[in-house]
Amino acid sequence: MSHSMENARPTPGSPTPGNPRHGSPTAAATEQFRRVAGHYPTGLVLVTGPRPAPHLPPPAMVMGTFTSVSLQPTLVGFLPSKSSTTWPRIRAAGRFCVNVLAADQEQLCHSFTSAAPGRWEIPHRETATGSAALLDAIAWFDCELAGEVDAGDHWFVTGAVRDLGVQRSAPPLVFLRGGYGACGPRPDTAAVQR
């Protein structure tokens, strides 16, 4: 009796498109991974660091890999690319602020991903760590760098949360299948936050 390939399970250690331990994936496998992973929505945040000098803008980068990591101690995490030119500047400072972007901040998001000249002409303040917190962000987490672990072509960065807050109630900005959108809980399942 033969089994179809759809039902076959790879044996432990056998190569699969997403298993980097067995050589570099082909371009086709990389594209397939990107396409399949793109079906999972990611929230967007702006990670900022302290100004390197009074006359220079704070370093900042848009991230789609932010997550809460631990309650005790309170840790958050994100995964900057190893090719990022911004992350080394934030890493050197040892502290950062994560700003949760709202659905109505898509243009702001574009301005930072394209390094637009006037991108810092927005209301913001300096946090206790010296990083920039956007006054219109949904929420913010002010952090000290807690760790950095190798994660393929990215770093997995963790931050110890020193201060945090919610500034407004709005749907978050999400990225899904190459486009921007918004999401929120269904009215019948929304928990009351106190």
Side-chain angles (χ1 to χ4, degrees):
M1 181 189 248
S2 64
H3 296 281
S4 75
M5 288 304 291
E6 287 183 344
N7 295 327
R9 291 185 181 186
T11 57
S14 64
T16 60
N19 190 342
R21 285 186 259 186
H22 298 282
S24 298
T26 65
T30 299
E31 185 52 39
Q32 180 186 12
F33 180 82
R34 187 189 307 271
R35 184 179 56 77
V36 173
H39 283 73
Y40 184 74
T42 57
L44 295 170
V45 299
L46 184 71
V47 179
T48 67
R51 291 178 183 272
H55 64 286
L56 294 175
M61 58 186 180
V62 173
M63 298 296 309
T65 55
F66 175 71
T67 186
S68 60
V69 175
S70 169
L71 287 174
Q72 295 182 359
T74 309
L75 298 172
V76 294
F78 60 94
L79 287 93
S81 171
K82 287 184 178 175
S83 64
S84 169
T85 57
T86 303
W87 170 239
R89 293 158 52 208
I90 296 175
R91 177 203 288 134
R95 50 200 193 276
F96 54 86
C97 183
V98 178
N99 296 272
V100 179
L101 299 180
D104 60 8
Q105 293 179 305
E106 182 179 335
Q107 192 55 48
L108 180 147
C109 180
H110 281 297
S111 73
F112 278 94
T113 57
S114 65
R119 63 191 178 279
W120 275 113
E121 294 172 8
I122 53 171
H124 64 281
R125 65 177 178 82
E126 196 172 282
T127 66
T129 67
S131 303
L134 307 184
L135 298 187
D136 246 4
I138 294 175
W140 54 274
F141 300 81
D142 201 24
C143 305
E144 292 180 357
L145 180 60
E148 182 182 60
V149 177
D150 186 286
D153 55 6
H154 285 67
W155 297 109
F156 179 45
V157 174
T158 52
V161 179
R162 298 303 179 221
D163 199 4
L164 72 169
V166 175
Q167 301 179 133
R168 63 177 172 132
S169 178
L173 181 62
V174 298
F175 191 74
L176 175 67
R177 288 182 287 193
Y180 295 92
C183 73
R186 292 196 326 260
D188 60 328
T189 61
V192 176
Q193 299 260 340
R194 299 194 188 277

